């Protein structure tokens, strides 16, 4: 199962890595794929929306919900 979220504020590969790490730390076992151009964050595994939101916001980016 995977879910895709919309995240704004990512501007470079460093942002992508920061969001990826933040999500993986918060939800061990998930796999994160981010498209920087569209701001779409796909999380495979069993992502919990509230946890993904917390991870994204803690990393300093804006969580815009499920895409
Ligand atoms: Cu960046």
């Amino acid at each position: 199962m995977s879910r895709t979220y919309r995240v704004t504020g990512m501007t470079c590969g460093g942002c992508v890595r920061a969001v990826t790490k933040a999500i993986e730390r918060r939800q061990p076992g998930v796999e994160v794929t981010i498209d920087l151009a569209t701001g779409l964050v796909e999380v495979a595994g069993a992502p919990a929306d509230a946890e993904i939101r917390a991870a994204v916001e803690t990393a300093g980016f804006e969580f815009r919900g499920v895409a």
Side-chain angles (χ1 to χ4, degrees):
M1 171 207 171
S2 83
R3 284 169 78 74
T4 302
Y5 305 91
R6 199 172 293 283
V7 172
T8 54
M10 296 184 291
T11 56
C12 69
C15 299
V16 168
R17 277 191 295 281
V19 170
T20 300
K21 291 281 173 221
I23 292 172
E24 289 175 347
R25 210 176 299 126
R26 192 126 192 157
Q27 283 243 277
V30 299
E31 190 175 325
V32 181
T33 305
I34 297 179
D35 185 323
L36 179 59
T38 58
L40 293 176
V41 176
E42 183 182 355
V43 185
D49 296 347
E51 295 296 325
I52 303 305
R53 171 177 207 132
V56 167
E57 291 180 344
T58 299
F61 300 92
E62 295 86 45
F63 180 87
R64 305 289 188 195
V66 176

